[in-house]
């Protein structure tokens, strides 16, 4: 990589644009590189079963990373997603096992679809709390979401006194069976969670590219004051991105509980960092205004495949962390080099035009 | 040009080129010891660039700098400071989170034997400088707690503390009250007596004539006149500044303004530090009328526009469009009612610099291109193409980032963005600031065309020529108040200047000690 940055200044205009294209595609190149390396180094890596298993792992991080991408594009950060995953898993588990006791001798049990919607609503509400703290009370996003990180984790632990809700099969007479479908079910040969990822990702990518809200998200991150003067409802945009992030985290909470058929209150610890890493690897700028859903998904795959592949190769988990960290740093260094090269190429083009 | 003052610093044939524009062209400039060397010129004439070259902030593209007769080149402002050249910058360069004393000694901290900062000594020394300025500022106060005028005094104290041989002051009085200006002049006289060469930049002609010894006039990056102050008068200065060749203002086409389209009543905006930034301003504009709002920096023009756009929750007053009251209080819905603002600061408030030209143009009017929630790419593209053509925006491809355009074209993008919202009333805050002559002419032509199409236009400017040439009526603001309203036929430069200076004399609400 040092080689690239050292060569960049001398490259001619055409060489510059070739290099620029390569740099723009860097996450894809990294993805192909990890695929090629592991398919050679790790036996069975390319088997269909293994690819699907990896995709399921990646999907969890990809959900969080998508929500994180929008938040980061507006210039914020959401540290609370890992805790929302944990809390939403506990909410789902609690509802399956216990229902809601109305305190008057009745207990209401919900069917699985209702439970899923309630859980998603919980995620969205926590996101809304983040949004309100940030827009109405002017708390810095880092601090606001750090606060909700602790609160949500604490609530998750309180909900069961720190115990796991085991065996979420439900009872047929209460209509609470079928919770395992999300995590274990298959549709047309692919796991349900992958299908959900495809749907949410396409929706998010569409939102980013073809809706006013998407455009406003980028405008707020690029220049909040200018956006405000142009009539963008900045506070609404921010509310949306944190609520969407909470929504994504709730999906992950549901899927994990469903896969394990159990809810553990510590689920999701440090997931937020993986999500940030995937977003940054996919080209999202921490200073706001830049990023794509597609890039983030590819970033999530690079990180996920990297860690699964290293496990398959038998690399120690300590080394895995070192490697993951280096990959992230290199990605950002290349990103900066690309920016510089880009502006040079633009200037050169302007000079050519006159 | 002969007198008792020796030349300490000499610029020879200096030019400075930025991407796209030439800011200074073959300038020769002499700075004399123990005298106030005045530099005047209109906005964008190149004064600040020239001063930044002297202060080592910018390096000249061509030409020589001679200090005491020896050629020098400054690699940084620290380098220039090392050779005895200090500068009071127009935009304040202070650290709001540090104390006054820490600001004054920033990068030259007084330390004890162990390299620990000696705060006592710093505050003691700082107090001496502040004493001279009679500002009532304690050295341990945080800079962000001071009024703008007081911050400017700190900036001046900082420059004085450099013990510079050449001291550049770029509009040092722009935020000072009349009493504070008097104190500054005393300090300047004191520095002069010590043999310091002072370079003084200001827009206020009466000020220049009072304290200047030598005057140099810049126009469009060229030096058009250099004289001893005692040989010149205001008319001479204005002639040199504006030149005989009139600027390319689009001609009025003689259409008559229609009925009232916009009215503001009793607009007030409280200042954070007490008093009113906008003080009971009422005005109205007819359809197809251009109302110029003239005023010096800090007169409250931009704040008035901000109030009209609903950017300040604490503002009071009533506005009407087409005679109907506008009850909406937020910017989004006021834009929908037909108001649009072209802000003064393009970079900070006008553009999202990392988005494309197209995205910037349609940012405020996206709802026009949306069915349900889908942006119709074709319709958007068509509107962008049309606007690019109409405003003559020079851009190869609208998907280019807007930051790659020149200042004038960026300004056209900001105007285009406002026009796409289909406004009835357009507020333009210094629409010609920082753009080249050709783009200025385009902007003025566009204003004429829009007024012909029946828009009401309010434009704020501190350029007297501009306000005289473009306005159907001229409003003058000073100190937050509306101090004059002239029809073009009866407006004279003298009357406008007089009105813009009202309230700048010693008055109860500009006391220094408002803070104590």
């Amino acid at each position: 990589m040092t080689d690239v940055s050292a060569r960049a200044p001398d490259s001619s205009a055409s060489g510059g644009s070739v290099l620029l294209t390569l740099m723009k595609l860097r996450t894809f190149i990294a993805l192909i590189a990890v695929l090629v390396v592991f398919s050679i180094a790790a036996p069975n890596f390319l088997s269909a079963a293994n690819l699907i298993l990896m995709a399921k792992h990646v999907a969890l991080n990809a959900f969080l990373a998508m929500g994180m991408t929008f938040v980061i594009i507006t210039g914020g950060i959401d540290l609370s997603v890992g805790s929302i995953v944990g809390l939403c898993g506990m909410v789902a588990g609690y509802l399956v096992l216990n229902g809601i006791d109305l305190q008057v001798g009745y207990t209401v049990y919900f069917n699985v679809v209702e439970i899923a919607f309630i859980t998603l609503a919980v995620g969205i509400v926590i996101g809304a709390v983040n949004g309100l703290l940030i827009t109405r009370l002017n708390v810095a996003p880092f601090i606001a979401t750090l606060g909700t990180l602790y609160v949500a984790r604490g609530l998750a632990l309180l909900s069961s006194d720190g115990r796991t809700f085991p065996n979420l099969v439900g009872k047929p007479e209460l209509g609470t069976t079928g919770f395992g479908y999300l995590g274990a079910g298959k549709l047309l040969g692919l796991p349900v969670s992958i299908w959900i990822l495809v749907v949410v990702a396409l929706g998010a990518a569409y939102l980013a590219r073809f809706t006013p809200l998407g455009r406003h998200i980028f405008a707020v991150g690029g220049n909040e004051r200018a956006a405000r003067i142009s009539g963008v409802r900045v506070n609404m945009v921010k509310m949306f991105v944190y609520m969407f992030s909470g929504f994504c985290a709730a999906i992950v909470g549901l899927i994990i509980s469903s896969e394990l058929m159990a809810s553990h209150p510590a689920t999701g610890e440090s997931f937020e960092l993986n999500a940030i890493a995937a977003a940054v690897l996919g080209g999202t700028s921490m200073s706001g205004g830049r990023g794509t859903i597609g890039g983030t998904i590819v970033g999530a795959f690079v990180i996920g495949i990297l860690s699964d592949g290293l496990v398959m190769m038998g690399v120690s988990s300590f080394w895995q962390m070192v490697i993951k960290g280096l990959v992230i740093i290199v990605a950002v260094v290349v990103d900066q080099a690309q920016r510089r090269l880009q502006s040079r190429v633009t200037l050169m083009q302007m000079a050519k035009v006159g | 040009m002969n007198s008792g003052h020796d030349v300490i610093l000499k610029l020879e044939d200096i030019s400075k080129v930025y991407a796209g524009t030439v800011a200074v062209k073959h300038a020769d400039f002499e700075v004399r010891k123990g005298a106030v060397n005045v530099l005047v010129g209109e906005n964008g004439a190149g004064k600040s660039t020239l001063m930044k070259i002297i202060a080592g902030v910018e390096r000249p593209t061509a030409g020589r700098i001679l200090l005491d007769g020896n050629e020098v080149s400054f690699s940084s402002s620290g380098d220039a400071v090392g050779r005895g050249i200090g500068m009071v910058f127009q935009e304040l360069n202070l650290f709001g989170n540090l104390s006054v004393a820490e600001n004054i000694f920033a990068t030259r901290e007084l330390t004890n034997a162990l390299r620990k900062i000696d705060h006592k000594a710093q505050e003691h020394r700082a107090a001496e400088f502040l004493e001279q300025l009679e500002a009532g500022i304690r050295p341990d106060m945080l800079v962000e707690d001071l009024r703008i005028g007081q911050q400017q005094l700190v900036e001046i104290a900082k420059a004085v503390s450099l013990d510079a041989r050449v001291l550049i002051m770029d509009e040092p009085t722009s935020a000072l009250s009349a009493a504070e200006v008097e104190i500054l002049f005393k300090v300047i006289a004191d520095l002069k007596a010590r043999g310091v060469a002072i370079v003084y930049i200001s827009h206020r002609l009466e000020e220049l004539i009072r304290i200047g010894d030598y005057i140099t006039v810049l126009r469009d990056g060229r030096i058009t006149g250099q004289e001893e102050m005692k040989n010149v008068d205001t008319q001479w200065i204005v002639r040199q500044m504006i030149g005989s060749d009139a600027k390319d203002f689009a001609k009025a086409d003689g259409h008559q303004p229609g009925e009232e389209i916009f009215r503001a009543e009793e607009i007030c905006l409280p200042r954070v530090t007490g008093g009113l930034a906008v003080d009971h301003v009422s005005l109205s504009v007819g359809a197809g009328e251009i109302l110029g709002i003239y005023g010096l920096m800090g007169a409250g023009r931009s704040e008035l526009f901000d109030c009209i756009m609903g950017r300040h929750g604490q503002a009071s007053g009533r506005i009407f469009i087409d005679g109907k009251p506008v009850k909406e209080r937020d910017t989004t819905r006021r834009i929908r009612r037909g108001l649009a603002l072209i802000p003064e600061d393009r970079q900070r408030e006008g553009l999202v610099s990392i988005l494309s030209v197209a995205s910037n143009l349609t940012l405020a009017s996206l709802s026009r291109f949306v069915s349900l929630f889908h942006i119709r790419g074709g319709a958007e593209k068509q509107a962008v193409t049309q606007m690019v053509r109409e405003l003559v925006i020079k851009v190869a491809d609208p998907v280019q980032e807007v930051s790659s355009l020149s200042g004038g074209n960026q300004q056209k993008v900001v105007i285009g963005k406002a026009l796409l919202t289909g406004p009835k009333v357009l507020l333009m805050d210094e629409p010609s600031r920082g753009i080249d002559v050709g783009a200025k002419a385009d902007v003025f032509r566009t204003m004429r065309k829009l007024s012909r199409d029946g828009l009401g236009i309010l434009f704020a400017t501190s350029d007297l020529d501009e306000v005289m040439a473009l306005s159907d009526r001229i409003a003058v603001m000073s100190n937050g108040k509306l101090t004059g309203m002239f029809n073009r036929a009866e407006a004279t430069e003298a009357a406008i200047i007089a009105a813009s200076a009202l309230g700048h004399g010693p008055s109860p609400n500009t006391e220094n000690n408002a803070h104590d």
Side-chain angles (χ1 to χ4, degrees):
Chain A
M1 284 307 133
T2 45
D3 180 38
V4 170
S5 40
R7 252 174 43 204
D10 313 321
S11 52
S12 65
S14 63
S17 48
V18 170
L19 191 60
L20 198 58
T21 321
L22 283 177
M23 284 167 127
K24 275 182 185 159
L25 294 173
R26 66 186 175 280
T27 335
F28 260 115
I29 295 170
L31 180 63
I32 292 165
V34 289
L35 283 174
V36 169
V37 167
F38 287 128
S39 56
I40 295 167
N44 294 332
F45 179 81
L46 281 180
S47 71
N50 184 54
L51 287 180
I52 289 179
L53 186 69
M54 281 198 305
K56 279 180 79 172
H57 289 168
V58 171
L60 298 178
N61 188 25
F63 278 115
L64 299 179
M66 280 191 290
M68 191 65 78
T69 301
F70 281 148
V71 171
I72 294 178
I73 290 175
T74 65
I77 191 88
D78 187 353
L79 299 180
S80 65
V81 289
S83 295
I84 299 178
V85 169
L87 180 58
C88 286
M90 295 309 281
V91 168
Y94 185 91
L95 290 175
V96 170
L97 287 186
N98 304 330
I100 292 178
D101 187 352
L102 293 178
Q103 307 290 342
V104 288
Y106 287 101
T107 301
V108 179
Y109 286 95
F110 299 96
N111 68 32
V112 170
V113 176
E114 288 163 350
I115 289 172
F117 277 109
I118 293 171
T119 308
L120 293 177
V122 169
I124 292 172
V125 166
I126 300 173
V129 170
N130 282 332
L132 287 173
L133 287 171
I134 290 158
T135 57
R136 300 288 159 196
L137 302 178
N138 266 330
V139 184
F142 191 97
I143 305 299
T145 57
L146 183 66
T148 40
L149 178 155
Y150 285 116
V151 172
R153 181 65 68 200
L155 291 175
L157 289 162
L158 282 170
S159 70
S160 68
D161 243 350
R163 286 190 296 270
T164 302
F165 290 137
N167 204 17
L168 301 179
V169 280
K171 294 182 187 134
E173 66 271 25
L174 297 173
T176 51
T177 51
F179 187 62
Y181 181 70
L182 271 182
K186 286 200 171 185
L187 212 65
L188 302 178
L190 280 181
V192 172
S193 60
I194 302 293
W195 285 113
I196 301 176
L197 176 69
V198 170
V199 170
V200 175
L202 287 177
Y206 174 82
L207 178 97
R209 290 197 58 156
F210 296 110
T211 67
L213 178 59
R215 197 71 70 73
H216 290 169
I217 289 173
F218 284 90
V220 167
N223 186 344
E224 194 174 320
R225 292 170 67 121
R228 221 179 268 276
I229 291 177
S230 304
V232 174
R233 294 180 190 275
V234 173
N235 286 355
M236 256 178 53
V237 170
K238 287 190 178 173
M239 287 295 294
F240 170 80
V241 295
Y242 289 98
M243 285 160 73
F244 181 71
S245 181
F247 168 77
C248 289
I251 296 178
V252 175
L254 278 172
I255 293 175
I256 293 181
S257 306
S258 170
E259 277 175 355
L260 303 175
M261 290 306 273
S263 305
H264 183 61
T267 304
E269 267 176 6
S270 84
F271 276 20
E272 58 278 356
L273 300 181
N274 274 329
I276 295 169
V280 169
L281 202 56
T284 311
S285 156
M286 289 301 283
S287 50
R290 280 179 225 268
T292 59
I293 292 296
T296 295
I297 300 279
V298 176
F301 270 92
V302 170
I303 288 188
I305 291 174
L306 194 65
S307 48
D308 279 12
L310 290 173
V311 171
M312 290 177 75
M313 281 174 64
V315 177
S316 93
S317 63
F318 305 151
W319 273 111
Q320 286 178 38
M321 290 171 82
V322 172
I323 292 168
K324 196 154 96 183
L326 290 178
V327 167
I328 293 166
I329 292 170
V330 168
V332 176
V333 170
V334 177
D335 187 49
Q336 290 301 328
Q338 183 209 325
R339 293 276 156 73
R340 276 199 301 275
L341 190 61
Q342 175 106 53
S343 57
R344 279 170 45 85
V345 169
T346 317
L347 272 182
M348 270 191 268
Q349 280 166 352
M350 279 168 72
K352 255 189 220 164
V353 171
Chain B
M1 293 280 294
N2 259 329
S3 62
H5 300 113
D6 301 331
V7 173
I8 176 167
L9 183 78
K10 194 170 178 186
L11 302 189
E12 279 185 4
D13 203 24
I14 291 278
S15 295
K16 174 74 191 174
V17 186
Y18 290 109
T21 54
V22 184
V24 177
K25 297 165 198 161
H26 307 291
D28 294 301
F29 181 52
E30 289 175 349
V31 178
R32 288 164 191 272
K33 236 189 252 187
V36 176
N37 305 264
V38 162
L39 191 61
V40 284
E42 302 193 294
N43 286 333
K47 296 167 303 203
S48 292
T49 308
L50 197 58
M51 289 310 103
K52 282 179 181 164
I53 288 171
I54 297 179
V57 180
E58 299 275 5
R59 306 185 73 173
T61 317
R64 306 198 301 159
I65 305 174
L66 301 173
L67 185 62
D68 296 324
N70 305 316
E71 183 167 349
V72 290
S73 80
F74 304 125
S75 57
S76 69
S77 59
D79 198 4
V81 168
R83 293 176 197 252
I85 297 175
M87 179 154 178
V88 180
F89 287 93
Q90 189 176 359
E91 58 276 6
L92 298 170
N93 284 342
L94 296 173
F95 307 105
N97 54 341
L98 298 182
S99 76
V100 171
E102 282 166 330
N103 266 286
I104 289 177
F105 292 100
T107 73
R108 315 169 280 131
E109 285 80 4
L110 304 178
T111 52
N112 64 16
L114 295 171
R115 302 284 298 154
K116 178 189 163 298
I117 293 178
D118 190 343
H119 285 283
K120 274 235 176 67
Q122 282 196 171
E123 286 179 10
H124 187 72
R125 289 278 308 281
E128 289 172 16
F129 293 117
L130 294 168
E131 193 87 348
Q132 280 183 15
L133 292 168
E134 301 172 33
I137 305 170
R138 288 197 321 272
D140 58 341
M141 285 167 127
L142 282 189
V143 163
E144 64 192 2
D145 294 336
L146 301 176
R147 285 186 294 114
I148 293 290
Q150 290 178 315
Q151 291 188 10
Q152 205 157 33
L153 290 174
V154 172
E155 184 82 54
I156 291 165
K158 184 173 153 189
V160 171
S161 76
L162 292 173
D163 251 336
R165 293 190 296 154
V166 179
L167 187 56
I168 305 163
M169 299 185 168
D170 194 353
E171 306 231 19
T173 56
S174 56
L176 296 187
S177 68
E180 285 165 341
V181 170
E182 289 306 316
I183 297 163
L184 173 65
F185 285 180
K186 256 198 286 180
V187 172
I188 289 178
D190 188 37
L191 290 170
K192 241 169 82 170
R194 280 196 268 146
V196 176
I198 292 166
V199 182
Y200 191 92
I201 300 177
S202 179
H203 277 303
R204 300 183 179 170
L205 297 188
E206 65 284 20
E207 225 175 82
L208 301 179
I209 290 180
R210 212 182 115 196
I211 67 157
D213 298 304
Y214 301 91
I215 181 163
T216 304
V217 188
L218 263 175
R219 184 173 78 228
D220 292 334
R222 287 181 199 284
I223 287 177
T224 52
Q226 243 172 338
E227 261 305 330
E228 262 187 84
M229 191 61 92
K230 59 177 184 247
N231 301 335
V232 306
D233 56 9
T234 323
Q235 264 105 49
W236 181 87
I237 299 175
V238 172
R239 210 163 44 238
Q240 302 301 322
M241 272 169 68
I242 298 170
S244 50
D245 46 332
K247 272 189 269 183
D248 187 7
F249 291 114
K251 292 280 179 300
D253 50 16
H255 76 270
Q256 283 301 314
E259 293 196 359
E260 177 191 282
I261 193 166
F262 173 81
R263 185 166 82 244
E265 288 180 355
E266 302 280 310
I267 304 282
C268 283
L269 177 70
R271 228 191 283 268
V272 189
T273 49
L276 292 172
V278 178
D279 197 347
H280 297 90
V281 172
S282 303
L283 44 78
S284 72
V285 184
E289 185 180 34
I290 300 180
L291 175 69
I293 303 180
Y294 179 80
L296 300 172
M297 203 173 128
R301 296 164 296 155
S302 305
E303 290 80 358
L304 172 66
F305 282 0
D306 288 350
C307 293
I308 295 174
M309 286 310 289
R311 293 181 64 198
H312 294 293
Q314 68 276 33
S316 62
R318 297 171 299 281
I319 61 175
F320 302 84
I321 291 175
D322 285 331
K324 291 191 260 321
V326 176
K327 298 238 170 58
E328 291 88 347
R329 295 197 58 80
D330 62 306
T331 312
T332 313
R333 284 182 294 167
R334 286 196 177 179
I335 289 175
R336 259 180 233 155
R337 283 297 297 271
L339 286 166
L341 170 68
I342 288 150
E344 177 179 12
D345 191 330
R346 218 166 27 237
Q347 297 304 336
R348 285 178 58 211
E349 310 199 313
L351 295 170
V352 182
S353 57
I354 61 176
L355 290 186
S356 68
V357 171
S359 297
N360 269 288
L361 275 171
T362 55
L363 182 58
S365 52
L366 274 179
S367 53
R368 277 180 57 187
F369 314 110
V370 168
S371 21
L372 204 57
F373 50 76
H374 181 81
I375 299 176
R376 282 173 290 132
E380 188 191 4
K381 209 168 170 187
Q382 197 188 343
V384 167
T385 319
Q386 194 188 340
M387 198 43 83
V388 165
R389 200 173 43 224
E390 231 167 75
L391 296 180
V392 208
I393 302 173
K394 290 194 191 82
V395 56
D397 185 344
V399 298
Q400 243 173 286
E401 271 186 28
V402 74
S403 54
S404 67
L405 300 188
S406 70
N409 284 304
Q410 289 187 7
Q411 181 71 349
K412 288 180 192 171
V413 172
V414 180
I415 294 174
K417 181 177 74 172
L419 293 184
L420 276 172
T421 64
K424 292 175 182 160
V425 181
L426 196 56
L427 311 172
M428 308 177 93
D429 199 353
E430 299 272 7
S432 68
R433 169 164 294 177
I435 64 181
D436 60 81
V437 185
K440 265 186 198 178
D442 282 345
V443 168
F444 297 147
R445 248 197 308 282
T446 306
M447 288 169 71
R448 284 284 184 216
K449 182 181 159 298
L450 293 171
S451 74
R452 201 160 54 232
D453 296 345
L455 263 74
I457 298 179
L458 287 90
F459 86 105
T461 178
S462 48
D463 186 323
L464 201 52
D465 266 358
E466 234 174 79
V467 83
M468 293 291 281
L470 287 168
S471 319
D472 294 315
R473 272 187 307 147
I474 299 168
V476 183
M477 281 185 76
S478 173
N479 243 338
K481 287 195 186 66
L482 197 62
T483 51
M485 179 68 86
F486 307 90
N487 282 323
R488 183 174 36 201
E490 69 196 30
T492 62
E493 297 195 0
I496 291 172
I497 289 175
S500 73
L502 281 180
H504 275 287
S507 71
N509 48 1
T510 50
E511 289 281 308
N512 300 326
N513 45 13
H515 225 71
D516 302 314

